[in-house]
Amino acid sequence: MGSQKPAPQKPMHGVAVDQGSGLGAAIAEARGTDAHEADLFEFKKAVVECLSPEASVLLVDAHYGRELLPHYDPACEKLLAYEADVYRIATSERITVLPDNLSVADYAGLGVRRLKFFLYYAPRGPAETNQKKHALVRDIGRQCADHGIEFLFEPIVYDEEVADSASLAFARIKPELVREATAAFADPDFHVDVLKVEIPVNLAFVEGFGTGAFDRGWALDRFRDAAAAAGHIPLVYLSAGVSFDWFEQSLKLAREAGVSAAGFMCGRAIWSDAVTEFGQGGHARLTEWLIGEGRQRLQRLKAAL
């Protein structure tokens, strides 16, 4: 019989700095001739130290997690990703590679009671592929249940027929893909405690923000439909690499739609500009930016939702 899991925090004001090779490459480019092997870890440590005092939860990656955990503010909940690298995918089926330095059984001993797992998911993709993905998520969920670890699952949707996720064609189907993925993993068989989901609409095509291909009422309805698919499972929205302003506006739209979201998990939308600051002014400039603009952005997101 498993240990009792922690109750999900409401609201969850989360910062994510679990990016791996992609972030490392961006930092190396920004630092230029000053680039150093330890830059990626130092950047992540600065985010943890500067933003955990203002966040209710902060997500780090499996590779650097053990080294980063001691740098959290005591009041901030620790969330550890269960992936080798969010950009490292096993095959063309886009199945996430699990870490070789971490098991679900390790979490409690590290003082971590929450696990995040990320997976690309095509609701309308081949049944055989989706069965493999379902089995993987189900297995992680059962292990979390056995060890008393809260399971935060993040499905990122795609469609094999519409490859360009920034296109109008994908924007037309994305709300339904998000709804279908949310409904699929809300099944109790997966033991998911919190669903970390994408904003279902692309503001680039919504009236008042972008081209106006979709009106505001349509967008609000899509928020409601996608969120309703979660049933009783709490939802937190992820920023998925959009700009800070658009993520803030997306959270406001969710609130306007009446969605009762448990919170947000935001990565690049909060700290991506800090990469440039790190490149131009080193560690001192990085921490100054995070404590100033970084914390201010986090406060604005709290107010938005």
Side-chain angles (χ1 to χ4, degrees):
M1 183 157 178
S3 306
Q4 185 176 2
K5 293 187 181 184
Q9 293 188 18
K10 292 186 179 181
M12 185 179 286
H13 300 140
V15 175
V17 65
D18 57 326
Q19 289 78 1
S21 55
L23 175 57
I27 291 172
E29 182 178 0
R31 296 276 282 158
T33 56
D34 293 326
H36 189 273
E37 185 179 0
D39 283 345
L40 178 57
F41 174 75
E42 289 301 322
F43 182 90
K44 287 172 177 277
K45 183 162 75 77
V47 171
V48 172
E49 291 177 338
C50 296
L51 297 185
S52 65
E54 298 294 329
S56 66
V57 60
L58 195 145
L59 169 65
V60 293
D61 61 290
H63 182 73
Y64 290 112
R66 283 180 170 85
E67 298 173 79
L68 292 169
L69 294 176
H71 297 280
Y72 277 66
D73 184 90
C76 182
E77 188 74 31
K78 297 169 182 175
L79 178 60
L80 184 56
Y82 192 54
E83 307 129 5
D85 187 329
V86 293
Y87 294 103
R88 182 179 162 198
I89 306 302
T91 66
S92 60
E93 294 178 308
R94 304 193 191 187
I95 296 177
T96 308
V97 177
L98 300 182
D100 56 14
N101 66 331
L102 185 69
S103 70
V104 178
D106 295 329
Y107 274 62
L110 293 170
V112 179
R113 300 300 302 273
R114 289 174 167 86
L115 173 153
K116 186 273 290 187
F117 178 67
F118 154 93
L119 185 69
Y120 286 114
Y121 186 70
R124 303 167 187 179
E128 182 179 357
T129 297
N130 283 346
Q131 286 168 6
K132 293 178 184 177
K133 293 180 178 182
H134 292 169
L136 176 60
V137 176
R138 190 178 295 113
D139 181 59
I140 294 171
R142 286 175 178 167
Q143 290 185 63
C144 286
D146 288 343
H147 292 284
I149 302 299
E150 183 182 285
F151 183 23
L152 189 150
F153 177 58
E154 176 185 345
I156 298 293
V157 300
Y158 69 99
D159 186 88
E160 294 187 344
E161 301 299 322
V162 186
D164 184 1
S165 61
S167 67
L168 175 59
F170 189 79
R172 292 187 189 281
I173 64 172
K174 184 178 181 181
E176 190 61 16
L177 296 179
V178 172
R179 189 197 67 77
E180 291 174 11
T182 300
F185 293 104
D187 188 315
D189 194 40
F190 292 106
H191 297 279
V192 172
D193 296 293
V194 178
L195 277 162
K196 182 184 176 190
V197 299
E198 295 172 90
I199 298 293
V201 300
N202 185 339
L203 292 190
F205 303 105
V206 176
E207 172 190 15
F209 302 98
T211 65
F214 311 121
D215 64 39
R216 192 182 190 92
W218 177 90
L220 294 172
D221 284 342
R222 301 292 77 75
F223 268 99
R224 297 181 189 112
D225 291 346
H232 69 283
I233 296 181
L235 292 179
V236 295
Y237 286 114
L238 65 115
S239 55
V242 301
S243 70
F244 172 78
D245 289 336
W246 274 22
F247 187 54
E248 181 183 34
Q249 293 303 318
S250 296
L251 294 182
K252 289 180 178 180
L253 273 180
R255 186 176 66 181
E256 183 180 339
V259 173
S260 182
F264 59 82
M265 289 293 302
C266 185
R268 286 167 288 176
I270 284 184
W271 50 251
S272 62
D273 291 339
V275 173
T276 301
E277 299 294 326
F278 189 27
Q280 294 177 348
H283 190 269
R285 182 94 160 261
L286 168 63
T287 56
E288 180 183 5
W289 190 96
L290 288 169
I291 291 172
E293 180 65 22
R295 288 186 180 181
Q296 186 178 65
R297 289 184 180 187
L298 187 52
Q299 292 296 335
R300 284 174 59 181
L301 294 181
K302 292 179 186 181
L305 193 60

